[in-house]
Amino acid sequence: MTQTTKTIGTTCYRHLGNEGLETARFDDETFLRVSSEAVSNLTSTAFEDVSHLLRPSHLAQLREILDDTDASANDHYVALELLKNAVISAEREFPSCQDTGTAIIHGKKGQNVLVQGDLNAAVEQGVKDTWETRNLRFSQMAPLSMYREQNTGTNLPAQIDIEALSGDALEFLFMAKGGGSANKTFLFQETRRLLEPERILAFFDEKIRTLGTTACPPYHLAIVIGGLSAEHCLKTVKKASAKELDDLATTGSPDGRAFRDLELEAQILELTRNMSLGAQFGGKYFCHDVRVIRLPRHGGSLPVGMGVSCSADRQIKGRIDRNGIWVEQLEHDPARFLPAQDVAAQSATRINLDQPMDDICAELSKLFVSSPVLLSGTMIVARDLVHAELARMIREGQELPDYIRDHPVYYAGPAKTPEGYASGSFGPTTAARMDPYVPELQALGASRVMIAKGNRAPSVVQSCKEHGGFFLGSVGGAAAVLGKDVIKNIETLDFPNFGMEAVFRIKVVDFPAFVIIDDKGGDFFTRKPAF
């Protein structure tokens, strides 16, 4: 009888079957023949699993935050919300994040593997099948010209990289990478002078702070120093963020092998603990862990890469070999990581959103930066495309719609709605993308209360001070909780042709958020409270 699980290295795989596999002899060698359907089915299963499930190690790190008495109350609150989100997502109706990501596939094809048909096409078919049949979101934009775009409606194309090596196995690393997390990948072109202990720590103290919280910490932070090219450096960043390089040597060698610097990893992790940013709203858990990879380099070039895997830590391995088709075993019972007793942040202030905007702002004005709030009532959902349209209306002298003045605006875009529910996963998107529009809108009495995730430009802080506005931070990474338990009604209000970027009117009950920017010039990210 074929085994149902097996462990290779530190990865446990579950067996999906053997259909579409056979061996064949040519001359003196045995080859594994793989049907394109087998590849598509593995790809589809992997992306279905990773859209709803997480690795046990990631969930264990969230539980460690709850057990740490030195963590802040807000660290505890965010960690608990993320664990609750994982429990809801594991029911396979709501994906863990509303941004269900770009499909990224790293493959390794053994020379004794024969794939029948086009390997890339088989992988893309698996991606297409998953996004068509699950409650996921189509996020890929096709350029129709330099300035016009249109959603592909399939979440294709996918990013596929297949390398050839020896052996008779086909291995995959499947990643679903959201835009917020992807946007926090950086390349710095430095010089040999950086390679001094004090300078390198000062450098990363500065650069890590620029990550902010827009990509939903706590992060798995990956840093790569060196590389034979810029793309070599950044490709290594992506693999390191997925824990794909954990087995590297821990020392260098004269022939230029890559290695992990465990001492620098510990130093940088401690550095992040002291930044006070915490798990989104203050504390010590800005990062779960840090990976630092040192690569060889050209003597005249020192690329340095930095990137993260966010709270939607979505990567999963797949494998096809003579013994069958295998997919990494993710955690199907995240509830086992929940504490026996509930954990909460400091007492939250309840805000009724179904009152005049001046009254909403008057209530928020009584609170200090980092105060938690629970919002109930009507919100308007609008993000990138809508803000561009509002800017066009202002340029052309048109009157702004009443909804942008009368209600708080939530920057978000929903995933598909599961049958029987009011909303799909519906977490916040990155606020900074709307920063250029805020001063102009607030000067006209619009967009006075904004809700999203992450830090904002100084121009937004100044605008809120001048026009009596507020920015509230929502918990990034808890989209399934919001979709299932908090959002009670959703209707399309304007620009229906924008799809998930249309204007929606939603009704919420006890929507959790924190005051990040107030009407007095206060900004959590520049005036952090002590914890």
Side-chain angles (χ1 to χ4, degrees), residues 188 190-204 223-227 259 261 264 292-305:
F188 312 102
E190 298 300 315
T191 69
R192 174 64 181 79
R193 190 70 193 274
L194 181 66
L195 300 179
E196 299 172 6
E198 295 81 8
R199 288 182 182 275
I200 208 165
L201 283 173
F203 175 85
F204 284 114
I223 290 169
V224 175
I225 301 165
F259 69 93
D261 189 323
L264 190 54
V292 177
I293 310 296
R294 183 68 161 89
L295 296 179
R297 68 184 182 94
H298 182 282
S301 176
L302 180 58
V304 177

Side-chain angles (χ1 to χ4, degrees), residues 9 57 79 88 121 152 219 251 265 278 302 312 339 450 456 465 476 525:
S57 58
I88 291 174
T152 64
Y219 297 131
T251 58
E265 288 180 2
L302 180 58
M450 304 160 286
R456 312 217 52 177
K465 184 178 181 180
F525 290 101

Side-chain angles (χ1 to χ4, degrees), residues 472-494:
L472 310 180
S474 176
V475 178
V481 171
L482 294 176
K484 183 178 181 182
D485 296 337
V486 174
I487 298 172
K488 303 302 182 181
N489 180 263
I490 177 172
E491 60 177 308
T492 303
L493 191 61
D494 206 354

Side-chain angles (χ1 to χ4, degrees), residues 361 442 448-450 463-465 467-471 517-519:
C361 290
Q442 289 194 337
R448 287 181 63 192
V449 176
M450 304 160 286
S463 180
C464 286
K465 184 178 181 180
H467 303 295
F470 296 86
F471 171 56
I517 296 172
D518 64 16
D519 58 346

